[in-house]
Amino acid sequence: MGTFGRGWVICLALGSSMVLAQGTPPRSSQFEGSQAIQAEARQIVALANQARADAGAGPLRWDAALAAAARQHCIRMAAEGPISHQYRGEPEVSARAALAGAHFSLIEENVAMGPDPATIHELWMHSPGHRSNLLNTAVDRVGVSVVAGRRGLYAVADYERAVPVLTQAQVDAKVAGMVQNGGVAVERDASAAREACTTDRGVPGSGSGARTRFVMRWQDAELARLPHELTDEMASGKFRKAEVASCPPQGQQGSFTAYRVAVLLF
């Protein structure tokens, strides 16, 4: 806590940062799909994106779910007075964001209190931890809320690395397409791979499972490429067919989004 001109008391708290893995869904417009956005929040996003451009980082796109989570916490901050990332009885930031409908592999948060958006942005830029959150090249979405209190403006900025929301069928099709592009035909019946997906080791003993010579299981938010161990095996020329199936993730960390997949080669 420190003082800053005009008698204002300026407060800020270091943002939390949580990581699982990375995903990269596209968005064409910074505020695409958003409803009415507070002018103060819009200004904070614009200032952040200018700072990111100056630092060589990509722009942040608006995420309505993150903004809803930020607003819930911002209202709580204004009611409590002293700023914090979590109050008694309140979920931590990843749980708040997930409850609001966000899907992410990394999430960070900056909070502050100040007289105006420009001052709040400058406070974050002059605090190493907050600056790191704001300029992090691994995040691509942002949600901001600003609430007026008796002592000034309370602000919350939640940053995330967004993960595309895919159905099981979409995950299966995406991975199967990559396997086929690697020169291995994918069987229509994926029952053995589905069974293998739900276990940590071993392979099914019937059907295609009995013929399996290599099994790969992995869990990640990133589905843009196959694991290199799998691509190496496919490139060996020893395999002609495969089964591909996804299943619910195991040992999931909190509210992060991830996908679990099994590929059998035979």
Side-chain angles (χ1 to χ4, degrees), residues 191-196 199 202-212 215 217 264:
S191 55
R194 194 84 65 196
E195 182 180 345
T199 63
V203 294
S206 60
S208 297
R211 296 180 285 138
T212 299
V215 58
R217 302 174 179 86
L264 308 183

Side-chain angles (χ1 to χ4, degrees), residues 22-56:
Q22 294 186 357
T24 55
R27 274 257 182 114
S28 59
S29 173
Q30 178 177 314
F31 294 102
E32 180 183 338
S34 61
Q35 301 301 317
I37 300 172
Q38 297 171 282
E40 295 85 357
R42 188 181 292 270
Q43 184 178 351
I44 286 174
V45 175
L47 289 167
N49 277 337
Q50 182 58 59
R52 288 175 65 87
D54 293 342

Side-chain angles (χ1 to χ4, degrees), residues 55-137:
L60 298 171
R61 269 66 172 182
W62 183 261
D63 189 287
L66 277 185
R71 180 157 182 80
Q72 291 175 357
H73 185 61
C74 202
I75 291 171
R76 181 70 181 268
M77 279 204 316
E80 295 281 350
I83 64 173
S84 175
H85 288 286
Q86 186 176 13
Y87 297 100
R88 180 175 297 181
E90 182 187 37
E92 47 79 33
V93 60
S94 68
R96 295 196 302 266
L99 287 170
H103 293 267
F104 48 87
S105 58
L106 180 155
I107 189 162
E108 305 172 333
E109 181 174 80
N110 282 355
V111 301
M113 186 187 73
D116 53 64
T119 300
I120 289 169
H121 171 75
E122 286 303 312
L123 284 168
W124 287 339
M125 289 297 291
H126 286 89
S127 168
H130 297 84
R131 179 186 177 90
S132 177
N133 285 347
L134 194 153
L135 299 181
N136 189 350
T137 58

Side-chain angles (χ1 to χ4, degrees), residues 178-213:
M178 290 188 287
V179 170
Q180 290 184 138
N181 288 338
V184 179
V186 176
E187 297 279 88
R188 296 176 68 101
D189 181 2
S191 55
R194 194 84 65 196
E195 182 180 345
C197 187
T198 62
T199 63
D200 289 328
R201 59 181 61 85
V203 294
S206 60
S208 297
R211 296 180 285 138
T212 299
R213 295 164 56 200

